[in-house]
Amino acid sequence: MLAPGVETLPWEEQLALDDEAYRAQLAYLLERSPFYRDKLANAGLADAAQAGGLADVGRVPLTTKQELRDSSTPENPIGAHLCVARDEIVRIYSTSGTTGTPSYIPLTASDLDNWISGSARSYAASGISAGERIVSTYNAGPFAAGAALASFDRLGLCHIPVGTGNTERLVKAIQLLEPEAAVLTPSYAAYLIEWTAERGIDLAGSSVRRVLVAGEPGAGEPAFRAHVQDGWGAQLTEAMGIGDIGVSLFGECEHQDGMHLGARGFVHAELIDPQTTQALVIDDGATGELVLSHLRHRAAPLLRFRTRDHVVVKTSPCPCGRTGPRIRCIGRTDDMLIVRGVNVFPSAIREVVAQFQPDVSGHIRVRPTAEGVKQDPPLPVAVEVGADAAPGDDLARAIADRLRATLVVQTRVDLVPFGTLARSEYKTRLVD
Ligand SMILES: [Zn+2]
């Protein structure tokens, strides 16, 4: 454990510290952030006393990515939530905007240091330790993932960056430099199993004992996890960050039972119902959209930021000794479909379909027939058959039956030949 004093602190004590930090963060924002001064005033919270503490966090309106984007101007391209002078900013990341203009994420020196501290705790939870080698496959470029790479230095690892899109180079690095760990997206981890199998390369026999994945949901699905662990002969643990809030905020430990909040003390996590935006109680098994607030941020702190990530919470004690609730990401709220009143996540469909391996490859594509979230049954799902499978006529029916029994959704399963659905070296699209 990187910071045992912090990571094993009883959760009530953590919340007491966080309450103090949150009140200070609110006062800071009211003083410095035009965006939050307006937003809080509109909600009848013109001073910090009216806004209260963490117990009253629900009084504060939610913040969306779009609002931040809308507040940027040519004079202030970062947006009205910027709180510091130009010379206090040491790093500016960006996210790829759908409109063509990126949105910018500024950090002060202390913000960057906190990001790296949280990320280092999240990655250390995987069990990786100083002196080990890790091969990374992120071309971080303008993106916040760059700060995750810095956390490998903090952990005392030997970092071998090979970047994205060069599988030959990656496999060569694994064969020759014998790293103990590899960090990549879940999609790429699965792709490499197929890529090496086609070339007769023994991936499971390689030096890699830990596969650390991040960047998209799905690595917590039991069938997917088993497939990757078998293919790599390694333990898979996942990490998760939110560009606007922090990199690798959460990281799973060797017990593989959900991700711990590595960025505890820097970030406060809540759960809401994505439809009604009502706050939900964080108890064992609760599911909802993750909402995050900065507690000690300086450059452009955010309050109650909607992550659009749909998570399930675990509150039982973890044998590793880290305290606090753990999460597993089920899917993106943006990807969610509603089929005759039932919420359906494409990643959940993939999880059920993967139970039919090796008759199926594990690759699926949901093909909605209507625009928007609401869909009429049956929902078309393309399912790729396995590499050497000769499935019987009843496979599509069996999959549809299992989907109906597990997810209460009526689907039309169309089997497609192996290799039909596009693979990704970065993130997989599950919906057409
Ligand atoms: Zn643990």
Side-chain angles (χ1 to χ4, degrees):
M1 212 177 288
L2 199 62
V6 176
E7 295 176 72
T8 64
L9 194 70
W11 194 244
E12 301 69 41
E13 290 180 35
Q14 181 70 60
L15 287 178
L17 292 174
D18 289 352
D19 183 66
E20 213 173 296
Y22 171 74
R23 289 169 190 267
Q25 185 83 86
L26 267 172
Y28 176 87
L29 284 166
L30 285 166
E31 186 196 326
R32 295 198 178 211
S33 167
F35 179 84
Y36 279 110
R37 242 192 329 259
D38 285 356
K39 203 170 166 68
L40 293 169
N42 289 339
L45 307 170
D47 63 63
Q50 284 172 304
L54 269 188
D56 313 299
V57 70
R59 287 182 198 166
V60 172
L62 296 161
T63 299
T64 67
K65 180 85 187 163
Q66 193 58 45
E67 283 176 276
L68 301 177
R69 214 172 255 148
D70 291 346
S71 79
S72 81
T73 60
E75 297 73 40
N76 181 4
I78 290 172
H81 56 305
L82 178 64
C83 292
V84 294
R86 187 186 177 96
D87 62 359
E88 292 176 72
I89 300 171
V90 302
R91 185 76 51 90
I92 302 175
Y93 289 115
S94 47
T95 58
S96 43
T98 45
T99 55
T101 306
S103 55
Y104 294 109
I105 303 164
L107 300 173
T108 67
S110 72
D111 294 341
L112 182 59
D113 190 67
N114 290 346
W115 271 32
I116 296 170
S117 297
S119 176
R121 287 183 212 149
S122 294
Y123 277 113
S126 72
I128 195 167
S129 56
E132 294 186 337
R133 292 182 173 187
I134 185 166
V135 63
S136 76
T137 65
Y138 297 138
N139 273 355
F143 306 120
L149 303 181
S151 72
F152 301 150
D153 301 337
R154 182 76 65 88
L155 292 175
L157 304 175
C158 167
H159 178 201
I160 308 165
V162 300
T164 311
N166 196 336
T167 302
E168 299 263 2
R169 182 185 287 269
L170 170 62
V171 171
K172 198 58 98 187
I174 291 174
Q175 289 172 325
L176 296 178
L177 302 176
E178 301 187 329
E180 285 86 357
V183 58
L184 64 184
T185 61
S187 293
Y188 196 27
Y191 173 84
L192 274 157
I193 295 170
E194 284 182 3
W195 193 92
T196 50
E198 283 163 10
R199 289 159 183 78
I201 296 167
D202 179 18
L203 186 62
S206 81
S207 58
V208 174
R209 290 290 159 263
R210 298 182 197 284
V211 174
L212 315 182
V213 299
E216 61 180 355
E221 297 164 14
F224 179 85
R225 173 165 294 194
H227 175 65
V228 171
Q229 295 196 142
D230 286 353
W232 281 80
Q235 186 180 46
L236 181 151
T237 50
E238 59 176 339
M240 174 175 147
I242 311 292
D244 295 87
I245 299 289
V247 72
S248 335
L249 298 164
F250 296 87
E252 202 172 24
C253 74
E254 291 171 282
H255 298 282
Q256 298 178 293
D257 192 22
M259 293 179 274
H260 294 281
L261 178 58
R264 58 190 289 163
F266 305 128
V267 167
H268 176 70
E270 289 175 78
L271 220 51
I272 61 163
D273 178 322
Q275 253 85 52
T276 65
T277 72
Q278 284 299 312
L280 301 171
V281 178
I282 295 193
D283 51 15
D284 203 50
T287 70
E289 181 180 331
L290 186 66
V291 166
L292 299 172
S293 299
H294 280 125
L295 295 172
R296 298 170 193 279
H297 218 57
R298 287 291 168 263
L302 300 178
L303 296 178
R304 304 199 78 211
F305 182 72
R306 291 192 68 168
T307 67
R308 311 287 174 181
D309 281 308
H310 208 82
V311 303
V312 57
V313 173
K314 293 187 181 209
T315 58
S316 54
C318 186
C320 75
R322 290 176 181 82
T323 52
R326 305 185 295 288
I327 63 161
R328 188 188 137 194
C329 186
I330 305 170
R332 298 276 304 163
T333 312
D334 297 343
D335 286 346
M336 191 180 83
L337 298 169
I338 301 176
V339 183
R340 199 171 274 164
V342 177
N343 297 351
V344 180
F345 288 94
S347 49
I349 293 179
R350 179 174 63 180
E351 178 171 357
V352 173
V353 172
Q355 295 166 6
F356 290 85
Q357 282 171 330
D359 283 342
V360 302
S361 70
H363 295 281
I364 65 144
R365 202 76 92 241
V366 178
R367 296 182 159 148
T369 46
E371 288 286 318
V373 174
K374 289 205 168 66
Q375 301 291 320
D376 286 323
L379 182 69
V381 180
V383 171
E384 202 181 274
V385 299
D388 302 307
D393 298 338
D394 51 353
L395 179 64
R397 165 59 53 95
I399 293 171
D401 286 350
R402 183 87 58 94
L403 286 168
R404 191 206 300 258
T406 313
L407 304 176
V408 203
V409 60
Q410 194 192 338
T411 55
R412 191 192 74 220
V413 171
D414 301 311
L415 297 180
V416 300
F418 180 76
T420 313
L421 301 177
R423 290 359 184 205
S424 173
E425 295 186 14
Y426 193 45
K427 300 186 190 188
T428 302
R429 219 160 38 105
L430 295 178
V431 182
D432 274 345

